[in-house]
C-alpha cells in the first residue's frame, strides 16, 4: 500500500469542478474509494419528505465526497496547491511540499 498523501485535517485546494479554487480542511478520507470529504466544498442537496425523525422535511444540505485527484495539498508557505513528497528528517519519514520544501503538518 502506498503512503497517504492526503490525510484527515489537511488543508487542501480544489483543482477542478464547480468549486475550483476553494480551500478547505479534509474531514474524512476514503482510501478504498479514492475519495475525500472537504469542509465547505461540494455541497449536495437532497429533498427530504417529512418523516417521524424529521417532521418538517425540506432541503438537506451536506458535504458530498469528491475524488481525491481533484484536490491538492495547500503549500504551508504560499497557500497555493503543491504536490507531496516524502523525506526522512531526524529519523522520521515526513511529508514535504514539493514547491517550498516545507514540512506538511500531520
Amino acid at each position: 500500500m502506498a503512503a497517504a498523501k492526503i490525510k484527515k485535517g489537511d488543508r487542501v485546494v480544489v483543482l477542478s469542478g464547480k468549486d475550483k479554487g476553494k480551500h478547505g480542511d479534509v474531514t474524512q478520507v476514503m482510501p478504498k474509494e479514492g475519495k475525500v470529504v472537504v469542509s465547505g466544498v461540494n455541497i449536495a442537496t437532497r429533498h427530504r419528505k417529512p418523516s417521524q425523525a424529521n417532521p418538517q422535511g425540506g432541503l438537506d444540505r451536506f458535504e458530498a465526497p469528491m475524488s481525491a485527484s481533484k484536490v491538492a495539498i495547500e503549500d504551508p508557505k504560499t497557500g497555493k496547491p503543491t504536490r507531496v513528497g516524502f523525506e526522512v528528517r531526524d529519523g522520521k519519514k515526513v511529508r514535504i511540499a514539493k514547491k517550498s520544501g516545507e514540512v506538511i503538518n500531520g
Side-chain angles (χ1 to χ4, degrees):
M1 186 174 125
K5 295 194 176 198
I6 298 177
K7 295 181 178 182
K8 183 177 176 179
D10 283 345
R11 186 107 174 119
V12 295
V13 181
V14 180
L15 300 175
S16 65
K18 64 180 183 182
D19 295 318
K20 180 178 180 177
K22 287 189 181 177
H23 299 253
D25 294 318
V26 176
T27 56
Q28 186 181 0
V29 179
M30 297 173 241
K32 285 187 179 175
E33 292 89 17
K35 294 183 181 273
V36 293
V37 177
V38 182
S39 62
V41 175
N42 199 29
I43 303 295
T45 305
R46 289 282 180 267
H47 294 261
R48 300 286 186 196
K49 280 186 173 181
S51 64
Q52 280 190 329
N54 183 10
Q56 185 66 33
L59 295 175
D60 184 20
R61 291 183 175 85
F62 60 96
E63 294 149 353
M66 62 190 305
S67 176
S69 65
K70 289 191 170 209
V71 298
I73 297 279
E74 183 181 284
D75 193 310
K77 208 172 194 177
T78 62
K80 294 182 179 178
T82 183
R83 291 174 297 137
V84 178
F86 294 92
E87 278 184 9
V88 177
R89 292 190 180 174
D90 301 326
K92 279 190 141 185
K93 185 178 178 183
V94 293
R95 295 180 302 156
I96 59 155
K98 288 281 192 174
K99 275 192 179 172
S100 65
E102 293 282 312
V103 175
I104 298 168
N105 296 339

